[in-house]
Amino acid sequence: MSIPDYMQCAEDHQTVLVVVQPVGIVPEDEFFRIYKRITSVAQVSIRDSQRNLYIRYRHHYLPENNEWGDFQTHRKVVGLISVTTCRSAKEWPQTSDRFHCQKDVFGATLYDSRLLVFGLQGEIAEQQRTDVAFYPSYDVCPDVEKRVEDFVESIFIVLETKRLDRATDKSGDKIPLLCVPFEKKDFVGLDTDSRHYKKRCQGRMRKHVGDLCLQAGMLQDALVHYHMAVELLRSVNDFLWLGAALEGLCSASVIFHYPGGTAGKASGREPSLAHGAQEVLIDAGALTANGISADTSSEIGRAKNCLGPEDIIEKYKEAISYYGKYKNAGVIELEACVKAVRVLAIQKRAMEASEFLQNAVYINLGQLSEEEKIQRYSILSELYHLIGFHRKSAFFKRVAAMQCVAPTIPEPGWRACYKLLLETLSGYSLCLDPKDFSKGSHRGWAAVQVRLLHELVYASRRMGNPGLSVRHLSFLLQTMLDLLSDKEKKEVTQSLENYTSKCPGGMEVLTLPDGLKLPPVPLSKLPIVRSVKLLDLPVSLRPHKQKGLLENNMSSKSPFIYSPIIMHTRGEERTKKIEFRWVQGDVCEVQLMVYNPMPFELRVEHMGLLTSGVEFEALPAALSLPAESGLYPVTLVGVPRTAGNINVNGYHTSVFGVTSDCLLDGLPSVRTSGCVVEVIPSLPRLQLSTSLPRSAHPLRPSKEELSSSVSVQLFNGETQQLIITLENIGSEDLETLEVTSKACNTKEKLFGEFLSWDLEEAVSQLPLKPGQSVTLTVNVKVRLDFSGGENLLQDLNDDGISVTGLPISSPLRQVLKPRAETKPLGSESSKTDYNHVKHLWLAITYAQQHTTSHPGPLDHSLSLYTYLLALLHNLEVFKGAEKGKPGQIIMNKY
Amino acid sequence: MLTRLKTQVPLFSMNSYTKLREKLKLSGLSFASTHSHVIRLGRHSRHNSKMAVCIAVIAKENYPLFIRSVPIQNELKFHYTVHTSLDVVEEKISAVGKAMADQRELYLGLLYPTEDYKVYGYVTNSKVKFVIVVDSSNTSLRDNEIRSMFRKLHNSFTDVMCNPFYNPGDTIQSKAFDSIVSAMMVQAS
């Protein structure tokens, strides 16, 4: 006996073994359909005896295992059901012969057999035979179950006869010595008349009768027989059989204590029928009174016979230690260990169970084939799982996986290896969903997890699924990045690049054939993003809300003029709405602070923004971050194509051929100052040019205003024309235009109207279509009243208007030279003069009103935004410092 | 020899050590060289072993805070050994009822004997686990010595925790702790 049945459990001792086999050519699926129907008859209650017979079906059984049938009767094949196809009467004799051949294989132990013939009709099928059943086809066989039940009953009759036969053997008769296959030669030439030998025979037979009683459903009798067998065998030191007797005792006690079974699964045994064992106990007395078991002394109390839960384990230990003495009984020992573990698992005594398993690991069964090894490791893993040792279980499962691809195997089973490896994930507290990982609270045993991931990658590659490899590698890189050494980082990324060259990684969910889903792994750590900041538009393109229209909007929120209840809702805070607005059609920017954690240069391609709420055209950027870079600002741009509220919820990258969509929600480490911004419908854009030269000293009057400075030098009283050309460079029509002026200096007493213009002509050309331009003429006239004397000059000075040749600044006077002509500013010759020249700033505000033409779903107030374009004039006013008229200020031309 | 084995495999005292060995060798539990870290049941050269071959500190959430082993080339094997021993540790902790938790002894004793090593465990009241792996050929080591090693380890760990700059839950990088551990470890010869 070389191949252990790892699925065995203690209650299998009460079953009778029936082999179901196909004869000749039987389609596999048909056979298993019939097999399934046959196995549904797992338990038959016997008429008139209130006993149950349990049947264990096998479709494959080694004849050599059958030879151990005397040792433990549940290993003995007592029934054979053959399934065969027979098309015509001509084939029938041949089929019948085959059936008889098959019967001979298990011939010595068979109690009964049946042949199920499918497909045969006619004369032969008409005859009534007990051992053969004919069915026209695999589909038309309604009474298979009935047939099997009858068959089981006939087995029971034989079993019962055997039991009674053996049980009533009086010690006066010669008792044959039962033995296991490997013992046979040991007993050659032994004195068969010695007391020792006789006792041995008795003990073994007693044990055998115990087995039969157990199978026949007489638990109580079985216990008594086993007890007697133990006594007898102990006295003659027949260890192997003593072990078997003890195990039988354990099995019977387990069946008594745990009627639900120890196999974990229901294994076809219905719970209602599980009470059968107890019913038997109740009736046991009656049965003994009937004289069925004459030999058992009914005065021995039941409770005394049955082992307690503690004792069961003790006896199992003892039995196993006896088995351990025999090299050839390795399978028996192993199976006993497995059975004991299952019992302990039910008793929830994991520590002791682990001791049994530890022993089972060491049991040597001679040369195992690779499949047997895999099977053994898998079952060890399963049993460890059963007792709650998940890490141990994962360990053995992993060993089994490695065994599937051992180099000694000609065709390595990478698929099986991969499947087994996946099953170990939970034992290593690893979940392939990166979302679970980023929660942070759970941290596993990194070293073994990394190893496992590497193996998953390798196995998936070898089974020819680079997509899986990429997914696992990305996961490894994403979750274990901090734990990898520099060298490993390099290796991992290199292999990732290799794989992605064949199969680019994406964001889709991979589904394995067995239904397991591998969620996408966004590489949010390559590069690491620290903060996301939405940027306002450049000053020139910033929209301004038109005054006068925005107030009524504010008050509409509440019907009360005053309320002590502050109406603030949390939801609003959370939306993190930003003050400024973006404009549809304009390029909008988001600044990310990123850094590269890798020890080499990181190339990030197609880095773009992910948004929702508004149609958004992201313009991807490619960047290359130096090794272990510090924080690095990256600006991602895009153009909103529709209006509404845009939510920047993440970014998109492509690193090492893996494209990933990183959502900010999943990245708690990223700081943001709000991600929702309002996009307003597109506005017209104007370009402004003037006839005057640009100022050499551009001035920023304030941050809010856009300025374009031109300068002009004028004498008091002089007038000059300034032509302003406005070109519509946007894509929208310009519908309104307003011009206002404003002096930067606010001391209004100073100046009269410097600027005057006529808007009529320009307005008449509205609306301004894209590409068209309009000109506007502004007259600049300087009319300063210098009669106020020094005060004015002082004021002008204070205000930034410089008056050169000022009497109070007498030391400068000599320096001043008469000027020739009005010349454009910035020319070289006048450079020195500027030291003493200050500027008069005047601002002209052009207000372009745009009324949107599309009504849309937008708020009506939104349509009235204006650009503020400030045109600043650099106006220099010279005081004439004519000789001979000191102190008198005359503004005139030189 | 036999007495040691009794402590090692209390359940199967009938198994002689040699039988165990033989079984191991024959059971074919050896792996391809590529996976040699898994479990190598074959014999390999021994060091001049006196004390522990691997010492690990494991956080309450069962991830390693510190792990150090002697043969560097096969570090992962010890990771596996210690990792699987956590099953036994958890089982032992849960076996002691909640009511008894206060008086529970910190020392857990032998967790399980593997083919080459013996694994001992110790759990602090805050559920931080210490695991010491000892070469099973090392017969001179008494239970008392293991206990005292754990006590030393615990004291040193307490010092680490007292360090205001140590963030509980981070891996231990303390030099003092490291030197205590080194003193307990076998010097590979």
Side-chain angles (χ1 to χ4, degrees), chain A residues 689-729:
Chain A
S689 51
T690 59
S691 59
L692 288 172
R694 279 186 165 270
S695 164
H697 303 280
L699 180 97
R700 301 249 163 264
S702 72
K703 281 172 225 153
E704 310 244 313
E705 275 167 52
L706 170 75
S707 67
S708 135
S709 310
V710 295
S711 56
V712 59
Q713 288 177 325
L714 293 173
F715 291 103
N716 204 5
E718 187 184 356
T719 304
Q720 189 158 2
Q721 271 200 338
L722 166 65
I723 298 163
I724 297 167
T725 312
L726 296 170
E727 190 186 354
N728 187 353
I729 55 165

Side-chain angles (χ1 to χ4, degrees), chain A residues 317 324 362 377 392 445, chain B residues 11 14 19 23 29 79 87:
Chain A
K317 280 183 191 173
Y362 296 143
Y377 295 134
K392 236 350 192 200
W445 199 285
Chain B
L11 164 58
M14 296 299 289
K19 189 197 163 197
K23 280 183 168 185
L29 272 166
H79 276 282
D87 279 331

Side-chain angles (χ1 to χ4, degrees), chain A residues 532-552:
Chain A
V532 173
K533 192 180 157 200
L534 274 61
L535 297 183
D536 200 354
L537 291 167
V539 197
S540 59
L541 295 173
R542 229 170 264 179
H544 291 260
K545 209 166 204 176
Q546 221 179 25
K547 282 177 197 106
L549 281 161
L550 84 183
E551 268 82 24
N552 43 3

Side-chain angles (χ1 to χ4, degrees), chain A residues 317 320-321 324-325 327 333 348 350-352 355-356 358-359 361-364 366-368 373 376-377 387-393 395 398-399 402-403 405-407 427-428 441 443-448 451-452 455, chain B residues 8-12 14-15 19-20 22-24 26-35 37-39 56 58 61-64 67 76 78-80 82-84 86-88 90-92 111-115 169-170:
Chain A
K317 280 183 191 173
I320 289 164
S321 72
K325 288 166 185 274
K327 224 179 155 180
E333 186 186 354
K348 303 219 184 312
M351 277 312 294
E352 283 161 296
E355 282 172 34
F356 276 98
Q358 191 82 28
N359 184 60
V361 173
Y362 296 143
I363 296 169
N364 166 40
Q367 205 57 49
L368 287 177
K373 279 186 204 166
R376 188 163 169 182
Y377 295 134
I387 60 169
F389 281 23
H390 299 293
R391 296 179 188 87
K392 236 350 192 200
S393 163
F395 177 83
R398 196 179 144 276
V399 173
M402 289 300 133
Q403 197 63 50
V405 293
Y428 291 112
S441 57
R443 274 190 275 178
W445 199 285
V448 288
R451 180 79 217 170
L452 177 63
E455 280 160 357
Chain B
Q8 186 187 342
V9 197
L11 164 58
F12 310 105
M14 296 299 289
N15 286 354
K19 189 197 163 197
L20 209 87
E22 189 192 18
K23 280 183 168 185
L24 284 178
L26 291 171
S27 60
L29 272 166
S30 63
F31 292 85
S33 54
T34 45
H35 309 300
H37 56 272
V38 181
I39 34 169
I58 298 131
E61 294 85 7
N62 289 334
Y63 63 90
I67 182 158
L76 202 62
F78 287 109
H79 276 282
Y80 277 110
V82 178
H83 182 250
T84 47
L86 288 178
D87 279 331
V88 186
E90 282 193 339
E91 184 58 39
K92 286 206 174 187
L111 296 180
Y112 70 98
T114 70
E115 47 285 357
D170 287 357

Side-chain angles (χ1 to χ4, degrees), chain A residues 24-81:
Chain A
I25 304 145
V26 178
E28 201 169 295
D29 52 332
E30 299 287 4
F31 172 71
F32 279 103
R33 212 148 58 93
I34 297 298
Y35 181 70
K36 221 174 144 194
R37 289 184 63 178
I38 292 172
T39 50
S40 66
V41 190
Q43 182 187 22
V44 176
S45 55
I46 307 302
R47 268 170 286 173
D48 314 327
S49 67
Q50 288 178 309
R51 279 187 270 166
N52 282 318
L53 195 64
Y54 298 95
I55 308 101
R56 198 156 51 105
Y57 294 95
R58 289 283 178 276
H59 53 85
H60 180 80
Y61 199 73
L62 285 180
E64 70 172 298
N65 282 11
N66 199 21
E67 288 167 23
W68 286 73
D70 282 341
F71 183 67
Q72 285 176 325
T73 50
H74 72 282
R75 297 179 189 279
K76 190 189 279 189
V77 180
V78 296
L80 173 73
I81 299 176

